[in-house]
Amino acid sequence: MRSRLVLNFSTELADTPVTFSLVKDFGLSINILKASILPGRGGELLIEVEGSESEISKGIEFLKNKKVSVEGVEKRIKFNDAGCVHCGACTAVCFSEALSIGAPDWLLKFDSSKCVACGLCVKACPLRLFTVSFGG
Ligand code: SF4
Ligand code: SF4
């Protein structure tokens, strides 16, 4: 299975190779999708983790024991879907295909598990229906 996770590091952990440990000690494949970490300071990483459910759970437990906060990327994007008029403007900028629209109903579909928190939909939506938080 694959999961997209946001890891939040405190200042003390910024130089600790925790993602390396996820690969070496838990057999997980890691793809870093986005990073916002300053040297000597804390920050955030968005990673895609691939492995069995049990391996991923153990990896998350390891991170939490290291005091790294972990949450699914879907917690970082808020979408006010009740206000959507299905114009499709946001789908043009969403390269991860989290946002899509098409036949037969031409209604916007949002799969938050595919989101990479890029924030491009925030300005693309004329009604400003998205809020994305990452790194700041
Ligand atoms: S933040 Fe980026 S990846 Fe996520 S839904 Fe918006 S445009 Fe798509
Ligand atoms: S741009 Fe805004 S109003 Fe248009 S489909 Fe996307 S979320 Fe809905």
Side-chain angles (χ1 to χ4, degrees):
M1 68 179 282
R2 284 184 189 183
S3 294
R4 288 186 176 176
L5 304 171
V6 177
L7 314 185
N8 185 294
F9 296 80
S10 62
T11 306
E12 301 77 50
L13 281 170
D15 298 325
T16 307
V18 289
T19 52
F20 175 67
S21 298
L22 292 178
V23 176
K24 186 171 78 65
D25 301 331
F26 298 92
L28 296 168
S29 296
I30 305 289
N31 186 13
I32 297 175
L33 301 173
K34 192 174 182 184
S36 175
I37 297 179
L38 293 173
R41 295 176 59 186
E44 295 198 310
L45 275 184
L46 169 59
I47 61 172
E48 183 169 79
V49 187
E50 187 169 359
S52 69
E53 192 173 351
S54 131
E55 287 167 336
I56 292 175
S57 297
K58 285 177 187 163
I60 291 174
E61 203 52 42
F62 161 77
L63 291 170
K64 289 183 174 169
N65 287 336
K66 288 279 183 189
K67 306 275 188 272
V68 177
S69 105
V70 185
E71 60 185 357
V73 69
E74 65 280 356
K75 302 271 192 220
R76 298 306 188 88
I77 179 160
K78 290 190 171 45
F79 173 41
N80 176 11
D81 57 345
C84 181
V85 294
H86 308 283
C87 67
C90 56
T91 65
V93 298
C94 184
F95 57 89
S96 75
E97 298 180 350
L99 295 162
S100 61
I101 197 165
D105 57 12
W106 296 95
L107 296 175
L108 182 73
K109 309 282 185 310
F110 178 39
D111 180 352
S112 60
S113 68
K114 291 184 177 174
C115 178
V116 293
C118 68
L120 293 175
C121 54
V122 174
K123 285 188 179 168
C125 174
L127 302 178
R128 299 290 186 264
L129 299 178
F130 295 98
T131 310
V132 174
S133 59
F134 182 89

